[in-house]
Amino acid sequence: MQGMHKILSKGTAMQNPILVLNCGSSSIKYALLSNDSSERVAGLAENLGLDTARIKHTDLNGEKVEISLAGANHQWALQKILGLLAAYKPVAVGHRVVHGGREFSHAEKVNDHVLAEVKRLKVLAPLHNPAHALGIEAVEKIYPDLPQVVVFDTAFHQTMPAKAYRYAIPKDLYNEHYIRRYGFHGSSHAYVSHRADSLAPHHQANGWITVHLGNGCSLTAVYDGKSLDTSMGLTPLEGVVMGTRSGDVDPSLHIHLHRILGYSLDQIDTILNKQSGLLGISGISSDMRTVEQAANEGNEDAKLAIEIFCYKAARYIASLSCALPTFTGLVFTGGIGENSASIRQKILQNLPHFGIKANLDKNAELSRGVEGSFHQADSLLQLWVIPTDEEYQIAKETKEVLGL
């Protein structure tokens, strides 16, 4: 099955594996996928730059090992990761890159121009793109002949029409400074919408709203495999309520907080990106599991956090439906979307006008990686839970670019 993987017995060789890297500011998430993506090695290097830096690695046999790398930077960590994977002989590297700006509408093989653009676009993704560039350069130094491909989070959304991506601001800000809506989580929305197309009973031009709910959340209207609108904008802050991000607020909130409290722009940015969302409303946690537990125990702030989270998600579903020529159904994915039947149900309860009829028993069965539908036969919209597989999507696009 697409995107699924299995644990193999010792001694099994991987065929033409692709290494997928997601380099963050202090971490490197990696996965090595065989040519058909049925075999996988994965791991995480975390706390880079600190004495607690380490690698958590899981091999083909499912055996886990933890390796201390006190003080390691990205290049040191990648040297260790590539050493762990050397026996499998990866044939290429696919990098997740958050921002590709206006130029890149699909994955690209790394060259001097592409790398320079990844670096330049740090102005739009200051926490992410510099780390992605570090990963690309580190692989070049260790294995200069290994082909590399960048897969942009924003690329899937480059099919949005101008009416969806333009802000109602002076034209020069768009033409000269690229101020527009870009959207994110592109690999996830691409994977689950394509997967839904293959699972839907009628093979036609489907219109999905893909609902990626995790610590970061975004929704996308996808018609016939193309993104037509999405909830995130210039940055990942726009849109629905998230773990620590506020989602949409009045743009004048910045000047208001500055006037009444003297907050700087940096302080306000920290509040909206790191102290808001579920954490800010509940005062407890950014983790939906913890918030749900507190709500079940009677915590009113936690109850309100869930109510706002579900209402804002439903409101975006309703608005994004305007982008679709045909509305086939909803696809839930991400840590919350895949695992919380109660959140899915609460979101749907806020959508009484769409003829949705959910099978609550089936909904309750869908968690922990289980894929399936939970709509009744007479529901006007299909309802699916599809576990995302961004590593599969990045490996797939890497192979397509390189002709492998």
Side-chain angles (χ1 to χ4, degrees):
M1 180 181 291
Q2 236 181 12
M4 301 300 286
H5 62 279
K6 61 185 178 181
I7 302 300
L8 303 182
S9 60
K10 291 183 179 180
T12 304
M14 299 181 77
Q15 297 298 316
N16 298 323
I18 302 293
L19 174 60
V20 175
L21 294 177
N22 181 359
C23 295
S25 58
S26 62
S27 67
I28 301 172
K29 184 180 180 182
Y30 63 93
L32 188 73
L33 287 75
S34 62
N35 189 53
D36 63 359
S37 298
S38 64
E39 308 162 10
R40 191 173 308 204
V41 179
L44 173 69
E46 58 185 0
N47 303 328
L48 298 181
L50 302 175
D51 290 340
T52 54
R54 60 185 177 178
I55 293 176
K56 295 179 177 178
H57 179 81
T58 303
D59 67 16
L60 272 179
N61 311 302
E63 295 176 1
K64 300 179 185 296
V65 62
E66 188 171 305
I67 303 164
S68 176
L69 290 176
N73 59 17
H74 283 73
Q75 184 171 342
W76 182 3
L78 271 171
Q79 284 179 323
K80 188 62 179 179
I81 291 167
L82 290 169
L84 290 168
L85 303 174
Y88 301 111
K89 298 179 181 177
V91 297
V93 179
H95 294 265
R96 180 222 179 189
V97 174
V98 165
H99 223 302
R102 292 194 303 182
E103 177 179 350
F104 300 113
S105 59
H106 49 75
E108 295 278 353
K109 185 176 181 180
V110 172
N111 56 33
D112 291 343
H113 170 69
V114 170
L115 179 57
E117 283 297 289
V118 170
K119 292 179 177 180
R120 186 183 67 81
L121 288 165
K122 70 180 181 181
V123 67
L124 294 176
L127 296 179
H128 297 93
N129 272 40
H132 303 321
L134 284 174
I136 294 167
E137 290 176 325
V139 172
E140 281 185 341
K141 290 177 182 176
I142 299 166
Y143 287 120
D145 296 327
L146 196 62
Q148 300 187 76
V149 170
V150 288
V151 180
F152 299 99
D153 265 11
T154 52
F156 181 64
H157 302 296
Q158 289 294 297
T159 52
M160 289 192 298
K163 66 180 181 181
Y165 70 70
R166 285 287 295 272
Y167 288 117
I169 58 176
K171 184 178 179 180
D172 287 349
L173 291 174
Y174 169 71
N175 288 336
E176 297 177 18
H177 301 286
Y178 313 110
I179 306 300
R180 53 159 284 179
R181 303 182 67 249
Y182 288 98
F184 300 90
H185 292 142
S187 293
S188 177
H189 291 296
Y191 174 78
V192 298
S193 59
H194 295 161
R195 181 73 181 143
D197 280 340
S198 71
L199 294 170
H202 301 294
H203 296 288
Q204 56 189 16
N206 291 305
W208 305 105
I209 293 179
T210 50
V211 185
H212 180 112
L213 303 177
N215 188 56
C217 304
S218 67
L219 290 74
T220 297
V222 184
Y223 178 72
D224 198 18
K226 296 179 176 60
S227 172
L228 298 184
D229 200 357
T230 192
S231 60
M232 286 180 168
L234 175 71
T235 76
L237 181 61
E238 185 179 346
V240 297
V241 172
M242 308 177 216
T244 63
R245 297 183 188 126
S246 63
D248 293 341
V249 295
D250 187 330
S252 291
L253 178 63
H254 290 72
I255 191 66
H256 181 69
L257 291 177
H258 175 70
R259 284 172 176 163
I260 66 170
L261 296 172
Y263 288 169
S264 68
L265 287 177
D266 286 341
Q267 285 176 302
I268 298 167
D269 185 65
T270 297
I271 290 169
L272 296 181
N273 276 289
K274 298 181 180 179
Q275 299 172 0
S276 298
L278 291 174
L279 174 63
I281 302 167
S282 72
I284 297 170
S285 176
S286 62
D287 190 316
M288 180 61 84
R289 293 166 296 187
T290 303
V291 176
E292 282 195 287
Q293 181 179 343
N296 292 336
E297 293 170 354
N299 185 295
E300 294 301 322
D301 288 332
K303 291 180 183 178
L304 180 60
I306 293 171
E307 186 177 349
I308 294 173
F309 180 92
C310 294
Y311 172 70
K312 292 296 180 66
R315 194 170 78 171
Y316 255 97
I317 288 170
S319 64
L320 286 171
S321 70
C322 297
L324 295 172
T326 299
F327 193 178
T328 307
L330 302 173
V331 183
F332 291 91
T333 193
I336 299 170
E338 294 170 21
N339 293 302
S340 181
S342 62
I343 294 299
R344 295 193 295 262
Q345 183 178 346
K346 286 181 173 70
I347 290 171
L348 296 177
Q349 287 171 348
N350 283 287
L351 295 165
H353 313 300
F354 286 82
I356 298 171
K357 294 184 180 180
N359 183 319
L360 299 185
D361 291 334
K362 285 187 177 179
N363 182 37
E365 295 170 358
L366 298 173
S367 66
R368 299 184 182 278
V370 178
E371 176 184 83
S373 62
F374 63 102
H375 50 274
Q376 297 181 26
D378 58 344
S379 178
L380 294 186
L381 293 181
Q382 297 179 31
L383 304 171
W384 290 90
V385 174
I386 298 178
T388 193
D389 194 343
E390 292 170 279
E391 288 84 7
Y392 170 88
Q393 186 67 27
I394 292 169
K396 175 176 176 287
E397 293 185 36
T398 297
K399 289 185 289 186
E400 290 172 351
V401 168
L402 298 175
L404 298 176

